[in-house]
């Protein structure tokens, strides 16, 4: 949905006024499973990507907090740790995101994930899978910094003793995801344009060939949609991120609690 709603020059058949209307129209005209196209490639990359992400975050947060605030909770440490963890996460997820978004475009020419990978590799080269990597990092580093700082701040407010409390992890995760998603929507619109290389959008502003680079993407989005163009799909993005970050944090906190408890039991 987000990919479709962020389309800057959509096909007349793929113009949507709201998230609900988009979902209804896609399901009715393109089939029930269409909104989930390309999700298998995302799921395949998400496991190892998230494992590295949280392991790196936890280690760096602890080390930096010891240096900056002698073991206390440092917002600066949380932000830096989240940003560094993002570098590893995105190296795995960026190619998966390119494939997923190309398969979710209206009238996507790709029949399957493997066909999409082969065609992109053959016609645009390996670099196409990382064309939006710097943009992804430009977006995800501030996203994750805001996300981790907001999550830890919310935990301070509603779970000051830092006990395992599923409700507090879900609420903090959802709020952190919503705040970070809304704040970084303009960068996400640029990333979608770089990933999908929409022909109609690019030809309408006389761009032939491939669009690359964050600065070019920012200029093109402004040419196509003005200031409001930067906030296309903000609703879909926030709705998507809230459950996503709430689930990620609650699962992570559960395993952290479970493994820590298991370790302590083994020691005693």
């Amino acid at each position: 949905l987000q990919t479709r709603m962020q389309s800057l020059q959509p096909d007349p058949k793929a113009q949507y006024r709201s998230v609900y209307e988009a979902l209804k129209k896609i399901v009715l005209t393109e089939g029930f499973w269409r909104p989930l196209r390309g999700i298998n490639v995302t799921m395949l990359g998400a496991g190892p990507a998230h494992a590295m992400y949280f392991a790196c975050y936890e280690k760096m947060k602890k080390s930096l907090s010891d240096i900056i605030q002698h073991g206390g909770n440092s917002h600066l440490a949380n932000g830096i740790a989240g940003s560094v963890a993002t570098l590893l996460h995105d190296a795995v997820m960026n190619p998966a995101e390119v494939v997923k978004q190309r398969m979710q475009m209206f009238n996507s020419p790709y029949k399957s994930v493997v066909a999409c990978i082969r065609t992109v590799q053959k016609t645009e080269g390996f670099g196409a899978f990382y064309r939006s990597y710097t943009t992804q990092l430009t977006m995800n580093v501030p996203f994750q910094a805001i996300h981790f700082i907001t999550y830890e701040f919310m935990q301070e407010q509603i779970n000051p003793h830092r006990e395992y409390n599923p409700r507090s992890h879900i609420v903090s995760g959802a709020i952190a995801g919503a705040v970070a998603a809304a704040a970084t929507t303009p960068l996400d619109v640029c990333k979608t344009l770089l990933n999908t290389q929409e022909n109609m959008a690019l030809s309408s502003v006389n761009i032939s060939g491939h669009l690359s680079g964050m600065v070019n993407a920012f200029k093109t989005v402004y040419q196509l949609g003005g200031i409001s163009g930067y906030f296309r799909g903000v609703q879909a993005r926030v709705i998507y991120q809230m459950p996503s970050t709430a689930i990620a944090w609650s699962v992570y906190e559960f395993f952290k609690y479970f493994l820590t408890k298991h370790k302590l039991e083994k020691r005693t």
Side-chain angles (χ1 to χ4, degrees):
L1 283 187
Q2 196 181 322
T3 302
R4 294 282 187 95
M5 292 190 79
Q6 284 180 347
S7 173
L8 292 155
Q9 288 277 307
D11 186 288
K13 292 177 191 164
Q15 288 180 351
Y16 316 108
R17 282 190 300 271
S18 68
V19 174
Y20 173 71
E21 192 209 345
L23 186 60
K24 190 176 151 191
K25 207 168 176 182
I26 292 166
V27 168
L28 289 174
T29 58
E30 300 171 55
F32 183 76
W33 298 108
R34 181 66 199 208
L36 297 176
R37 262 200 111 196
I39 201 165
N40 50 346
V41 73
T42 309
M43 287 167 74
L44 201 67
H50 275 78
M52 289 193 297
Y53 174 64
F54 279 115
C56 175
Y57 172 69
E58 198 60 43
K59 181 74 183 156
M60 281 207 71
K61 181 181 87 164
K62 203 170 181 306
S63 306
L64 290 170
S65 290
D66 286 344
I67 297 162
I68 298 165
Q69 242 176 16
H70 308 294
N73 179 41
S74 161
H75 292 310
L76 180 62
N78 300 336
I80 295 169
S83 302
V84 174
T86 305
L87 299 176
L88 290 174
H89 176 270
D90 286 1
V92 176
M93 288 306 290
N94 203 81
E97 183 78 0
V98 171
V99 175
K100 185 196 82 173
Q101 289 195 323
R102 286 188 182 232
M103 290 190 73
Q104 287 178 347
M105 285 163 68
F106 183 74
N107 272 346
S108 173
Y110 312 107
K111 298 280 178 282
S112 68
V113 167
V114 175
C116 180
I117 294 167
R118 278 189 187 146
T119 310
V120 173
Q121 168 75 44
K122 202 186 283 181
T123 57
E124 297 175 49
F126 181 73
F129 295 108
Y130 282 94
R131 196 179 279 130
S132 67
Y133 184 56
T134 49
T135 312
Q136 181 92 329
L137 289 177
T138 312
M139 180 187 78
N140 277 356
V141 166
F143 177 92
Q144 298 302 356
I146 295 165
H147 172 208
F148 283 104
I149 289 167
T150 308
Y151 178 81
E152 299 287 359
F153 172 77
M154 287 303 300
Q155 282 292 285
E156 272 182 352
Q157 306 308 308
I158 60 177
N159 186 15
H161 301 299
R162 296 303 174 103
E163 293 158 347
Y164 174 62
N165 180 338
R167 191 181 292 174
S168 85
H169 303 316
I170 289 168
V171 170
S172 299
I175 291 170
V179 170
T184 55
T185 298
L187 296 162
D188 195 44
V189 172
C190 296
K191 184 201 76 174
T192 297
L193 184 62
L194 287 169
N195 275 351
T196 57
Q197 298 289 316
E198 278 179 77
N199 290 329
M200 277 176 76
L202 299 181
S203 60
S204 73
V205 284
N206 300 320
I207 293 173
S208 54
H210 299 299
L211 180 72
S212 62
M214 185 61 171
V215 176
N216 290 335
F218 246 92
K219 282 179 189 167
T220 309
V221 170
Y222 186 76
Q223 279 177 284
L224 290 161
I227 297 291
S228 62
Y230 293 119
F231 289 92
R232 286 190 75 103
V234 66
Q235 247 184 320
R237 185 162 155 74
V238 169
I239 291 166
Y240 166 77
Q241 284 295 347
M242 283 179 81
S244 165
T245 46
I247 292 164
W249 277 110
S250 51
V251 170
Y252 167 68
E253 293 282 8
F254 168 75
F255 280 104
K256 189 172 146 185
Y257 164 75
F258 176 77
L259 294 168
T260 310
K261 195 179 165 212
H262 187 64
K263 240 188 217 173
L264 284 168
E265 279 171 2
K266 271 179 90 175
R267 276 183 202 159
T268 52

